[in-house]
Amino acid sequence: MNIAVERLPDCKAKLNIEIPSDIVEKERSGLVAAYTAQAKLPGYRPGKIPKAVIEKKFKNQITEELEDRLMRQAWGEADKQEKLGILGISSVESKTFEADGSFAIAAEVITQPEVALPDYSDIPVEVPKIVVTDEQLDNVFERMQQNFATFEVVEGRALKAGDIAVVEYEGSTDGAPLVDTLDEANAQLGSSEEYWIKIPAEGEDATFLPGFGEQLEGLEVGAEKDVELTLSDDFQIEALAGKTVVYKTKVKEVKEQVVPPLDDAFAEKIEPGKNIEEVRASIKEQMEAEQTNQRQEVITSQILSHLTGMAEFEVPEHIIFNETQRQVNEMVQRGYQQGMGEEQIAENQQAILDSAEGRAKSSVKATFLLEKIGEKEGLIVSDDEVSQQVMMMAAQQQRPIKKVARELRDKNAFPEIRHDILISKVLEFLKGNATITEVDPPAPEKAEEASEEPSEETAEA
Amino acid sequence: MKDLFQVIDTIQLSEKATILTETENVYVFKVDQRANKLEIRQAVEKLFSKKVTAVRTANYQGKKKRERRADFGRTKKWKKAFVKLAEGETIEFV
């Protein structure tokens, strides 16, 4: 096999390969034999079709497959001989069968970047100290109290902020009942026999239509009032946007929110068999565990950014492009899940693209680096580890292991799993060798952001 | 038969026919029942522009076919023609 390599910038190489006629002929006769064994033609018993007939009848398929096989052979040979580390074929410029029976290919391939490893033995990492303040704990308890709050009927008192008004109402606009214009899903807006409306305290959001609750303040049980509201122009029901609606409202009951006191009875509700002090301690423990988890992610992200910052090398554009595509898809998917509309996504298209590209670049780079480190440190993924991983996956999906394994094999996913395990092993190794210093935790909001980023990075790696 | 184009129905490709071609330079056709040897010779010579040295024919009865009923029908009867070409002449099928 004649192989001529011309290295190009940007992790590409140009290959000119000539496969001699004897190899071509051997492959071809093998293919014809395979077709003879398989093909079925009327008039012939299976396996008894003359070669000449097969070669004519399946000429196109045979040629195609022959080209395919020869090219694959050529890539393998070129990879081995020239140590290119071919990652993919970017384009095949020409492929021809010459008159003397040999096969000539000219192609451009993407090669592994030459990674110059930075010093990775002692990566400095700063992590926030694990601190759970009393204030944070108090917040948690307050939220729980709200969740366990009960509403009790109060007699002989007017509605005030923070109360719940149980009302019956009937809405109309321009004299016509609202029920007529609303469909079934929104019938609640038109009229109701019994509806709970919270009178919003200062700074609280309205639970029903904005402005409704405020107008009820000061009413007593049995009082009636026409509540007049002007709906905003971008109200979600188009027919009503910008209109003025009148609700004939009658207060049926006044309820007051009663927050349970922080005592042992309350503790019993949260965790049976414990008093309030013990519950407090266990919640504190939970929060600390959460922070410890987050810390792992912070460490990972810091190690990755340190590595990618230190190492400078070319990364094949093709791969970045693919990764960018994947990132964009993922982000759009996430956007939909968070309830973004198609329009919103279209608006943010450029921003999504930009951030996806940035992420793709660093994650591709990180992957190459981690692979290289794994190679240098001689980290190997054993078959046992792969099968353990498969078992875990099966357990998570609650399906039989055999089935999951077969599916993975069909999808050819094992190399990928192996790769993932290797990457996580390398990360573990790096974490073990990093110097970790504790610093005071940043402002709480920042901590949340920081913890979100790395989880994505690890997933990509 | 007036129309030479209607004489030859199809080429019979089979193991037997292939062997005949390889050993005797004989090609096998399915032909119209009404065609005689002369017409077949003319048709092959005209349509394929080959020199024919001999033609032999055989009539085949249709095969019995039953379709869920006790009484049977038959597939069409047909005529087979063995056409021997002059030495060095070949017809490329497929």
Side-chain angles (χ1 to χ4, degrees):
Chain A
M1 215 176 276
N2 267 332
I3 301 170
V5 183
E6 188 191 325
R7 293 224 179 222
L8 301 174
D10 206 20
C11 299
K12 279 181 181 166
K14 201 167 183 169
L15 293 182
N16 276 309
I17 303 174
E18 203 185 300
I19 302 172
S21 59
D22 54 330
I23 297 182
V24 177
E25 212 29 67
K26 205 175 134 202
E27 274 298 321
R28 184 193 288 277
S29 60
L31 261 177
V32 172
Y35 268 90
T36 313
Q38 296 272 325
K40 268 187 184 168
L41 280 180
Y44 298 94
R45 287 168 293 163
K48 300 283 183 186
I49 309 173
K51 262 190 189 158
V53 177
I54 290 278
E55 270 176 31
K56 275 182 197 156
K57 196 99 188 166
F58 299 104
K59 193 177 169 201
N60 290 342
Q61 286 106 304
I62 288 179
T63 322
E64 220 166 87
E65 207 169 320
L66 183 62
E67 277 175 2
D68 207 47
R69 281 192 189 192
L70 288 174
M71 282 198 282
R72 238 178 298 153
Q73 250 185 35
W75 308 149
E77 191 72 14
D79 207 10
K80 218 162 63 188
Q81 242 179 52
E82 306 283 334
K83 302 224 168 17
L84 287 173
I86 295 177
L87 293 175
I89 314 299
S90 75
S91 68
V92 176
E93 279 151 25
S94 74
K95 42 179 182 178
T96 40
F97 287 101
E98 304 291 349
D100 61 351
S102 61
F103 185 58
I105 316 167
E108 211 172 86
V109 295
I110 301 160
T111 58
Q112 195 110 32
E114 280 174 34
V115 182
L117 279 181
D119 180 24
Y120 55 84
S121 57
D122 223 4
I123 299 171
V125 177
E126 286 182 353
V127 290
K129 269 188 197 140
I130 294 176
V131 187
V132 177
T133 57
D134 284 341
E135 198 184 325
Q136 283 170 321
L137 268 179
D138 287 343
N139 278 339
V140 173
F141 271 104
E142 208 169 292
R143 233 173 297 145
M144 279 198 282
Q145 274 177 311
Q146 292 280 346
N147 288 346
F148 282 98
T150 50
F151 296 97
E152 272 161 31
V153 180
V154 204
E155 302 283 347
R157 178 162 79 71
L159 281 161
K160 62 171 192 183
D163 282 349
I164 298 279
V166 182
V167 295
E168 80 173 60
Y169 58 84
E170 206 179 325
S172 61
T173 175
D174 302 336
L178 274 179
V179 186
D180 297 347
T181 45
L182 294 167
D183 52 19
E184 220 158 275
N186 293 315
Q188 191 84 69
L189 278 175
S191 75
S192 177
E193 298 265 296
E194 188 179 303
Y195 198 77
W196 291 32
I197 296 174
K198 187 164 189 192
I199 315 291
E202 214 153 300
E204 246 181 332
D205 284 337
T207 52
F208 194 46
L209 294 169
F212 200 119
E214 283 88 335
Q215 294 193 37
L216 297 177
E217 203 175 331
L219 296 180
E220 290 196 24
V221 177
E224 290 187 24
K225 185 178 180 183
D226 286 349
V227 178
E228 207 175 302
L229 292 171
T230 309
L231 299 171
S232 59
D233 286 332
D234 53 357
F235 193 65
Q236 61 250 41
I237 300 164
E238 257 177 54
L240 294 179
K243 289 231 170 120
T244 303
V245 288
V246 178
Y247 282 100
K248 216 177 190 169
T249 315
K250 185 178 174 190
V251 180
K252 292 169 93 176
E253 262 173 7
V254 175
K255 285 187 187 236
E256 194 180 26
Q257 189 178 21
V258 181
V259 176
L262 284 178
D263 53 13
D264 289 352
F266 181 61
E268 187 74 20
K269 271 190 214 164
I270 299 169
E271 270 178 75
K274 285 192 178 172
N275 65 32
I276 193 76
E277 283 310 313
E278 283 166 342
V279 168
R280 206 177 163 89
S282 86
I283 288 179
K284 188 168 176 177
E285 223 167 81
Q286 276 174 26
M287 285 170 74
E288 274 171 358
E290 211 172 285
Q291 284 191 12
T292 317
N293 276 340
Q294 284 178 5
R295 163 182 278 200
Q296 287 301 320
E297 288 167 359
V298 172
I299 294 175
T300 314
S301 89
Q302 284 195 13
I303 287 177
L304 286 179
S305 61
H306 179 83
L307 279 178
T308 48
M310 293 259 290
E312 272 307 325
F313 57 89
E314 277 184 344
V315 181
E317 246 171 56
H318 184 76
I319 291 178
I320 291 187
F321 179 76
N322 281 352
E323 179 66 23
T324 310
Q325 288 289 320
R326 212 181 58 80
Q327 291 275 358
V328 168
N329 286 347
E330 210 171 81
M331 283 162 86
V332 169
Q333 203 65 37
R334 213 177 309 142
Y336 278 132
Q337 273 170 15
Q338 285 166 3
M340 274 165 90
E342 210 138 311
E343 285 166 26
Q344 261 171 305
I345 285 177
E347 265 171 41
N348 294 330
Q349 202 173 21
Q350 198 51 46
I352 291 177
L353 265 179
D354 286 348
S355 91
E357 203 178 324
R359 270 192 206 180
K361 252 182 204 159
S362 61
S363 92
V364 167
K365 218 167 160 186
T367 311
F368 275 125
L369 276 169
L370 292 177
E371 272 171 13
K372 192 84 183 176
I373 293 172
E375 197 181 304
K376 199 173 164 198
E377 293 296 329
L379 297 174
I380 311 165
V381 180
S382 66
D383 289 346
D384 283 350
E385 281 167 304
V386 176
S387 50
Q388 264 174 23
Q389 179 71 19
V390 173
M391 267 189 312
M392 293 253 293
M393 283 164 79
Q396 266 172 18
Q397 295 170 13
Q398 298 194 327
R399 294 168 56 208
I401 296 170
K402 265 190 184 168
K403 233 178 174 174
V404 174
R406 199 183 310 137
E407 243 177 53
L408 290 172
R409 199 190 54 213
D410 290 347
K411 274 194 281 183
N412 207 6
F414 279 116
E416 207 173 309
I417 292 175
R418 197 172 274 269
H419 184 250
D420 286 349
I421 297 175
L422 178 68
I423 294 294
S424 61
K425 267 179 115 171
V426 175
L427 275 175
E428 276 312 308
F429 170 80
L430 289 176
K431 270 186 205 167
N433 283 335
T435 354
I436 296 170
T437 44
E438 287 197 343
V439 293
D440 286 329
E445 276 161 71
K446 269 197 178 167
E448 251 172 56
E449 245 171 66
S451 67
E452 220 173 278
E453 279 294 301
S455 68
E456 278 154 22
E457 294 250 350
T458 28
E460 286 147 21
Chain B
M1 295 218 30
K2 280 182 201 158
D3 190 359
L4 282 182
F5 284 97
Q6 286 188 3
V7 171
I8 294 175
D9 194 5
T10 160
I11 297 151
Q12 176 88 352
L13 269 184
S14 66
E15 281 180 54
K16 209 184 232 178
T18 314
I19 292 170
L20 276 176
T21 309
E22 278 167 4
T23 54
E24 315 269 332
N25 204 19
V26 165
Y27 290 81
V28 181
F29 299 91
K30 259 186 183 179
V31 294
D32 195 295
Q33 275 248 303
R34 293 161 294 180
N36 62 29
K37 291 177 180 173
L38 266 177
E39 284 162 346
I40 294 166
R41 172 192 288 265
Q42 279 170 7
V44 172
E45 285 188 340
K46 272 255 168 67
L47 301 183
F48 296 98
S49 332
K50 308 281 167 182
K51 181 104 184 70
V52 175
T53 54
V55 176
R56 289 183 295 147
T57 57
N59 277 308
Y60 281 78
Q61 294 301 321
K63 288 181 182 173
K64 283 181 194 173
K65 289 284 177 199
R66 258 185 242 279
E67 216 154 295
R68 270 183 266 151
R69 285 172 56 122
D71 49 349
F72 56 82
R74 283 188 180 276
T75 59
K76 228 174 159 187
K77 41 187 188 166
W78 56 288
K79 186 182 252 185
K80 188 173 182 177
F82 301 85
V83 179
K84 189 174 171 83
L85 297 187
E87 220 169 293
E89 298 266 45
T90 54
I91 299 176
E92 290 275 323
F93 297 142
V94 190

